[in-house]
């Protein structure tokens, strides 16, 4: 199985232009730009909350607006009135709830004294609206910690690729963390690659003929 993970890493690296088209910028291990060119850990954390049940294009526009007025700074975000944030977040689904969550998250970070202290899985999971996928995405892409985000894309792609049904997203995390080479670059690339395959080819009715993983996928060998 480890060999297949290595092969996938090679394929994802070779296909980095495709990954870019799907919003993943293959960068240096500790860059924040992996998430469609975002500029800071705070931007990634804010995006991870805003993107739930929302379109990424809208989230990206909101982040740009926040950046222009300095609102990606957690202290400033916390001090800003809800009404001001509502008007900024209008294009985001459930924006009122998300304003509440972001302000709470900003407050926790301020109370902890540093972002580094926020990169604790238990603390993140204790925050309303932060599930395992969001927590691990923050840990990996903002905190550069070796936690693999479990996703529905991962569940579908890896189940088909290995010809073995994964029952839940947690099994994705376990499988990847047990078999993927340990490295920040490798974890980020693998997540970006798997999500790209899920978004571009591995639909309910998969488009295997065009898929970048077709030569190593069990599903196409049935
Ligand atoms: S080859 Fe088909 S089943 Fe396999 S990962 Fe690609 S789209 Fe999914």
């Amino acid at each position: 199985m480890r060999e297949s993970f290595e092969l996938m890493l090679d394929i994802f690296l070779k296909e980095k232009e495709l990954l870019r088209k799907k919003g993943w910028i293959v960068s240096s291990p500790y860059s924040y730009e992996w998430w469609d060119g975002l500029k800071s850990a705070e931007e990634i954390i804010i995006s991870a909350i805003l993107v739930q049940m929302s379109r990424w294009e809208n989230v990206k526009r909101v982040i740009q607006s926040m950046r222009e007025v300095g609102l990606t700074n957690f202290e400033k975000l916390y001090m800003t009135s809800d009404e001001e944030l509502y008007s900024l977040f209008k294009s985001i689904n459930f924006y009122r709830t998300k304003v509440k969550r972001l302000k709470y998250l900003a407050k926790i970070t301020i109370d902890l004294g540093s972002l580094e202290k926020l990169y604790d899985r238990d603390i993140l999971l204790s925050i309303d609206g932060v599930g395992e996928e969001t927590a691990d995405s923050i840990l990996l892409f903002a905190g550069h910690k070796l936690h693999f985000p479990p996703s529905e894309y991962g569940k579908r792609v890896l189940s088909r690729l290995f010809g073995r049904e994964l029952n839940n997203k947690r099994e994705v995390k376990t499988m990847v963390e047990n078999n993927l080479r340990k490295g920040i670059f490798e974890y980020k690339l693998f997540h970006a690659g798997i999500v790209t395959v899920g978004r571009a080819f591995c639909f309910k009715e998969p488009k295997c003929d065009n898929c970048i993983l077709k030569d190593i996928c069990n599903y196409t060998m049935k």
Side-chain angles (χ1 to χ4, degrees), residues 157 160-161 197 201-202 206-208 211 213-214 217 219-220:
V157 172
R160 287 173 171 169
L161 195 121
V197 169
F201 313 108
C202 207
K207 305 260 182 258
C208 301
C211 180
L213 297 180
K214 68 173 185 284
C217 183
Y219 195 84
T220 58

Side-chain angles (χ1 to χ4, degrees), residues 142-199:
H144 315 305
K145 311 289 180 208
L146 282 179
H147 286 268
F148 191 81
S151 64
E152 281 301 328
Y153 291 124
K155 180 168 165 280
R156 176 178 288 171
V157 172
L158 294 178
S159 292
R160 287 173 171 169
L161 195 121
F162 289 110
R164 177 187 130 191
E165 189 62 30
L166 296 172
N167 295 313
N168 52 53
K169 292 198 288 180
R170 194 166 292 173
E171 285 188 30
V172 175
K173 181 176 174 65
T174 307
M175 178 191 262
V176 175
E177 292 185 354
N178 285 342
N179 290 286
L180 184 64
R181 198 170 3 128
K182 300 271 179 247
I184 297 298
F185 181 83
E186 286 77 5
Y187 270 44
K188 289 181 179 177
L189 177 63
F190 198 81
H191 180 67
I194 286 291
V195 172
T196 296
V197 169
R199 283 184 188 153

Side-chain angles (χ1 to χ4, degrees), residues 10-198:
D10 287 347
I11 292 168
F12 295 151
L13 193 55
K14 212 172 78 200
E15 297 287 348
K16 63 181 176 190
E17 274 315 306
L18 173 67
L19 270 60
R20 177 184 283 269
K21 283 187 193 140
K22 293 292 168 189
W24 297 101
I25 299 179
V26 177
S27 316
S28 57
Y30 295 92
S31 166
Y32 297 114
E33 301 223 325
W34 285 81
W35 267 35
D36 213 1
L38 295 187
K39 307 286 182 216
S40 67
E42 289 88 343
E43 290 187 11
I44 290 175
I45 295 168
I46 295 167
S47 306
I49 301 292
L50 293 184
V51 79
Q52 296 168 4
M53 321 276 283
S54 286
R55 290 175 60 81
W56 174 247
E57 295 71 29
N58 293 343
V59 172
K60 209 176 162 191
R61 265 194 297 275
V62 168
I63 293 288
Q64 271 158 0
S65 306
M66 291 177 79
R67 188 187 298 147
E68 280 161 20
V69 294
L71 272 176
T72 52
N73 174 296
F74 277 0
E75 276 165 26
K76 189 159 179 199
L77 176 66
Y78 182 65
M79 299 304 290
T80 302
S81 72
D82 288 1
E83 284 64 31
E84 202 176 318
L85 293 173
Y86 290 159
S87 70
L88 200 62
F89 291 0
K90 274 257 157 66
S91 61
I92 305 291
N93 291 337
F94 309 108
Y95 63 90
R96 285 174 182 268
T97 306
K98 288 176 181 174
V99 163
K100 203 167 133 201
R101 286 176 181 166
L102 279 179
K103 287 189 105 172
Y104 181 65
L105 207 148
K107 167 100 172 60
I108 287 186
T109 310
I110 294 164
D111 289 348
L112 286 168
S114 75
L115 265 182
E116 201 52 39
K117 290 192 180 145
L118 181 71
Y119 301 139
D120 175 309
R121 201 164 190 268
D122 291 334
I123 292 179
L124 285 168
L125 288 173
S126 73
I127 299 170
D128 185 35
V130 176
E132 296 196 23
E133 185 173 352
T134 303
D136 288 332
S137 296
I138 290 172
L139 288 167
L140 179 60
F141 288 95
H144 315 305
K145 311 289 180 208
L146 282 179
H147 286 268
F148 191 81
S151 64
E152 281 301 328
Y153 291 124
K155 180 168 165 280
R156 176 178 288 171
V157 172
L158 294 178
S159 292
R160 287 173 171 169
L161 195 121
F162 289 110
R164 177 187 130 191
E165 189 62 30
L166 296 172
N167 295 313
N168 52 53
K169 292 198 288 180
R170 194 166 292 173
E171 285 188 30
V172 175
K173 181 176 174 65
T174 307
M175 178 191 262
V176 175
E177 292 185 354
N178 285 342
N179 290 286
L180 184 64
R181 198 170 3 128
K182 300 271 179 247
I184 297 298
F185 181 83
E186 286 77 5
Y187 270 44
K188 289 181 179 177
L189 177 63
F190 198 81
H191 180 67
I194 286 291
V195 172
T196 296
V197 169

